[in-house]
Amino acid sequence: MNQTGPGQAAGQGEPADVGSLPGGARAALEAVLMVIDQPATAAELAAGLNLTVDVVEGLLADLQQEYNGYTGKAPDVDSASSQGVTATPRGFELRNIAGGWRIYSRAEFADIVAGFVLEGQTARLTQAALETLAVIAYRQPVSRARVSAIRGVNVDSVVRTLTQRGLIEDSGTDPESGAILYRTTSYFLERMGIGSVAELPQLSPHLPGLEGIEEFYDAGRM
Amino acid sequence: MNQTGPGQAAGQGEPADVGSLPGGARAALEAVLMVIDQPATAAELAAGLNLTVDVVEGLLADLQQEYNGYTGKAPDVDSASSQGVTATPRGFELRNIAGGWRIYSRAEFADIVAGFVLEGQTARLTQAALETLAVIAYRQPVSRARVSAIRGVNVDSVVRTLTQRGLIEDSGTDPESGAILYRTTSYFLERMGIGSVAELPQLSPHLPGLEGIEEFYDAGRM
Amino acid sequence: MALSTVTDEFIKYIKGLQQLGEEWALDEASEFLVIAATLLDLKAARLLPAGAVEDEEDIALLEARDLLFARLLQYKAFKQVAGMMGDTLDLEAGRYPRQVALEGHFAALLPELLWRHTPEQFARLAESALKPKEAAPTEVGLAHLHGTPVSVKEQAEILGGRLRAGTPLTFRALTADAESTLVVVARFLALLELFRDKAVAFEQLLPLGDLTVRWTAGAEGWSSDHLSEEYEEQP
């Protein structure tokens, strides 16, 4: 999907040359970021802007820094001369989460923004839900029975709630037991502000080889 | 960070002092404008930011000019000295439409944005969207949380798609929970070829109504 | 597993905590010592010739203890990361994504919707979407391996019926017709309940000898309604 210009999709002949518009490619990228309602990858953005992924990644990094106040330069000022000038951050930030880029209001203004954004306010998870989510996040794909075994309690209703909240999802069935396996969703990554589950913090270092425990488990399963 | 932790989020007693936050009132205003879906009036913004309407109107005019490229100054530079310096415009603009302010993608980039929006769009609803629409049609007015509970998955993005497609709309808020309620539109009736929702075929009486659903599903909610 | 690896990692971890001024470092350290001692104990027991260990049972006990500790540790680790995840989720909840409705002129460009559903098809779709979902199976069902569930209450009623006549009966006689061990167990539990309610008395002349059960509650003095609720809940 890389080479097809966005203009064509819209039913116009020529793909627009983003460089010729005021503000150039950087402003065009900003314009697109204004209308996306879910994170977009650099590749998707590049395809839409008819630019290479490398160029788009460079622009995204620039914008991110600029919004964070690392450079106070106006977009057309020579970048070498003013790079590193520190200004105050903007009220929003550009973040790369779950593989996609998106604009967020800055966390410092949470109290103020919350007053304007009623929807999307999510109730906090209970301790039981958090622990179940943690086990699933670190052991995915995993069956409810396995999560129950680790937590020592029945987790059925908690798993249902986590699914409804969009934090976990069905990822097929275990070929042996036929049990449904669960994994975390990209919405979970988004809520955690990370790019992939590999970025989750390490489990306590003093936990003796978890692999060994898994074997114990299977032996001791009911 | 600042004194009031962002984790405390909505509903806290003390109005934050926007001046003490990095970027000050201007950045706080930007944060709000970046995430609101419906245009907000200067009075609404002033109330939420705990500022006077005059101050907010001044800031709005400043931001509008800055986004349009009339001043390339960094937000913390003294405004008098650099007023009028012309830089390139940003990819977004702040517009006042019928008294309400909202950030939009800049009109110059409409072709590029349109191409991006249309990329990958299909003329068909997904199964998930169809099922969600069916639940809303038969149980309207209904909140997203309730539809999520019935379908067992998070329906946020599907509801957005259905709204965008003009098949459902906001019909006020639930007096108890404050959640937005959704109902089908007249465009939906048109597509179905019926005159009113009363003409939808009867469902089996054994299916749980909303009350039944509440009992059935809420037991597992947290 | 190599104990030294675990120990080294752990000491590093504890040092890190102490530098941060974490008070619970001591707790963690002592807990670790207990576990390390258990593991060492077990290792030593395996290495030494048979004389050092009393018998196989000791090893089994050690292994059971080890397993228990391992489970506790794992659970504790998950509890800990759950706390960290909760904090992260709270912090991130303060960042609101821009997800605004598509501007009207862009929405108008979307291709016209293809709609092929008749109201009847749509209704069927709604029916299937609204039908309460059966809880998905967590495991392959084992129900077919067991007989029908046995109710302690039911068995108590059967026993009551036989004993009310007044003739004492032995446990052996009372369970002679039991079609499965489960029924025997249920009848035994039922007898304990009856004993608690002072509806029966036991006599056993010799250790491991026949247990004789005698009805003491009178003809109408007891009903199974007294039976404790705990037996009615399925695990």
Side-chain angles (χ1 to χ4, degrees), chain A residues 67-183:
Chain A
Y67 295 163
N68 288 344
Y70 286 112
T71 160
K73 73 182 162 65
D76 58 349
V77 174
D78 175 49
S79 77
S81 67
S82 62
Q83 197 75 39
V85 173
T86 305
T88 41
R90 303 214 74 101
F92 47 88
E93 54 188 334
L94 178 59
R95 304 175 76 212
N96 181 9
I97 284 167
W101 294 83
R102 193 186 208 182
I103 288 195
Y104 291 81
S105 66
R106 205 167 278 286
E108 283 85 343
F109 304 109
D111 290 353
I112 295 160
V113 174
F116 289 89
V117 186
L118 288 169
E119 281 294 293
Q121 271 294 352
T122 42
R124 298 184 58 178
L125 293 174
T126 60
Q127 185 63 22
L130 271 175
E131 285 174 21
T132 302
L133 184 58
V135 173
I136 294 172
Y138 282 88
R139 288 288 170 270
Q140 58 185 304
V142 65
S143 70
R144 277 186 300 192
R146 175 61 62 90
V147 181
S148 278
I150 293 175
R151 294 211 47 239
V153 293
N154 182 300
V155 296
D156 289 6
S157 77
V158 175
V159 163
R160 195 161 60 224
T161 309
L162 291 172
T163 313
Q164 275 171 26
R165 292 271 198 100
L167 293 165
I168 60 169
E169 64 190 0
D170 187 330
S171 80
T173 55
D174 185 279
E176 272 175 49
S177 68
I180 293 179
L181 299 174
Y182 292 87
R183 65 172 171 221

Side-chain angles (χ1 to χ4, degrees), chain B residues 15 41 50 70 95 177 183 196 211:
Chain B
T41 64
N50 209 24
Y70 286 113
R95 299 217 308 254
S177 66
R183 64 171 172 221
S196 82
E211 319 70 42

Side-chain angles (χ1 to χ4, degrees), chain B residues 161-195:
Chain B
T161 306
L162 292 172
T163 311
Q164 215 155 72
R165 283 305 196 154
L167 292 163
I168 60 170
E169 64 191 0
D170 186 334
S171 79
T173 55
D174 184 280
E176 272 176 51
S177 66
I180 293 180
L181 299 174
Y182 293 88
R183 64 171 172 221
T184 52
T185 60
S186 54
Y187 174 69
F188 164 78
L189 296 176
E190 215 179 286
R191 296 313 308 254
M192 288 292 291
I194 55 177

Side-chain angles (χ1 to χ4, degrees), chain B residues 79-212:
Chain B
S79 78
S81 68
S82 62
Q83 197 71 45
V85 173
T86 306
T88 42
R90 302 216 74 98
F92 46 87
E93 55 188 335
L94 180 58
R95 299 217 308 254
N96 178 4
I97 293 173
W101 294 84
R102 210 195 103 169
I103 289 178
Y104 296 87
S105 65
R106 188 167 289 282
E108 283 87 337
F109 300 103
D111 285 353
I112 291 163
V113 171
F116 188 84
V117 167
L118 290 174
E119 182 110 5
Q121 284 288 345
T122 52
R124 216 181 295 270
L125 289 177
T126 60
Q127 184 67 19
L130 275 171
E131 282 181 18
T132 302
L133 180 59
V135 171
I136 293 172
Y138 278 92
R139 290 292 178 264
Q140 57 187 310
V142 66
S143 69
R144 278 192 305 200
R146 190 57 27 89
V147 181
S148 274
I150 295 171
R151 297 216 46 241
V153 293
N154 183 299
V155 296
D156 290 5
S157 77
V158 171
V159 163
R160 215 158 40 232
T161 306
L162 292 172
T163 311
Q164 215 155 72
R165 283 305 196 154
L167 292 163
I168 60 170
E169 64 191 0
D170 186 334
S171 79
T173 55
D174 184 280
E176 272 176 51
S177 66
I180 293 180
L181 299 174
Y182 293 88
R183 64 171 172 221
T184 52
T185 60
S186 54
Y187 174 69
F188 164 78
L189 296 176
E190 215 179 286
R191 296 313 308 254
M192 288 292 291
I194 55 177
S196 82
V197 280
E199 288 176 39
L200 283 170
Q202 289 273 304
L203 296 184
S204 145
H206 305 300
L207 289 172
L210 276 183
E211 319 70 42

Side-chain angles (χ1 to χ4, degrees), chain C:
Chain C
M1 77 202 73
L3 202 55
S4 63
T5 324
V6 181
T7 318
D8 286 350
E9 269 184 18
F10 185 75
I11 290 173
K12 222 188 299 165
Y13 177 65
I14 293 289
K15 279 195 177 139
L17 286 182
Q18 280 169 338
Q19 274 163 10
L20 291 172
E22 296 278 354
E23 287 171 12
W24 40 278
L26 187 65
D27 279 357
E28 301 271 310
S30 46
E31 201 170 323
F32 173 75
L33 281 179
V34 174
I35 290 144
T38 313
L39 290 175
L40 258 176
D41 202 1
L42 179 63
K43 267 200 164 195
R46 277 192 177 143
L47 290 173
L48 288 172
V53 181
E54 301 291 300
D55 53 32
E56 289 298 307
E57 255 176 59
D58 279 1
I59 299 227
L61 267 179
L62 276 173
E63 274 176 356
R65 192 151 59 121
D66 184 32
L67 173 58
L68 189 65
F69 272 122
R71 282 189 168 201
L72 281 174
L73 258 190
Q74 164 158 291
Y75 178 58
K76 205 164 169 254
F78 278 121
K79 240 180 135 65
Q80 207 176 314
V81 291
M84 286 155 74
M85 276 171 55
D87 293 346
T88 310
L89 288 170
D90 281 351
L91 183 77
E92 287 296 319
R95 297 182 158 112
Y96 294 83
R98 177 175 169 94
Q99 45 184 20
V100 302
L102 208 52
E103 294 161 32
H105 55 283
F106 294 130
L109 291 174
L110 294 174
E112 176 79 346
L113 201 62
L114 278 180
W115 188 271
R116 296 214 182 87
H117 286 74
T118 64
E120 287 69 32
Q121 285 169 328
F122 190 70
R124 275 203 295 280
L125 200 68
E127 294 215 339
S128 73
L130 285 167
K131 203 181 297 160
K133 318 267 181 306
E134 293 286 313
T138 50
E139 301 276 341
V140 167
L142 296 174
H144 59 286
L145 300 177
H146 293 301
T148 42
V150 182
S151 143
V152 172
K153 199 168 177 167
E154 244 170 57
Q155 297 303 322
E157 275 162 17
I158 294 173
L159 294 175
R162 291 183 194 177
L163 290 163
R164 265 201 188 93
T167 326
L169 290 167
T170 63
F171 185 65
R172 199 183 299 277
L174 284 171
T175 55
D177 62 331
E179 58 268 36
S180 73
T181 324
L182 205 57
V183 175
V184 178
V185 172
R187 287 195 183 166
F188 180 70
L189 290 173
L191 281 176
L192 291 181
E193 289 287 329
L194 287 166
F195 182 72
R196 197 186 62 183
D197 291 347
K198 299 197 172 60
V200 298
F202 297 129
E203 263 169 43
Q204 193 174 30
L205 299 176
L206 294 168
L208 304 177
D210 266 344
L211 183 73
T212 310
V213 187
R214 192 160 43 85
W215 190 257
T216 58
E220 303 297 328
W222 180 87
S223 95
S224 63
D225 297 340
H226 296 269
L227 264 193
S228 54
E229 296 289 320
E230 60 197 287
Y231 290 117
E232 289 171 23
E233 263 178 274
Q234 289 295 319

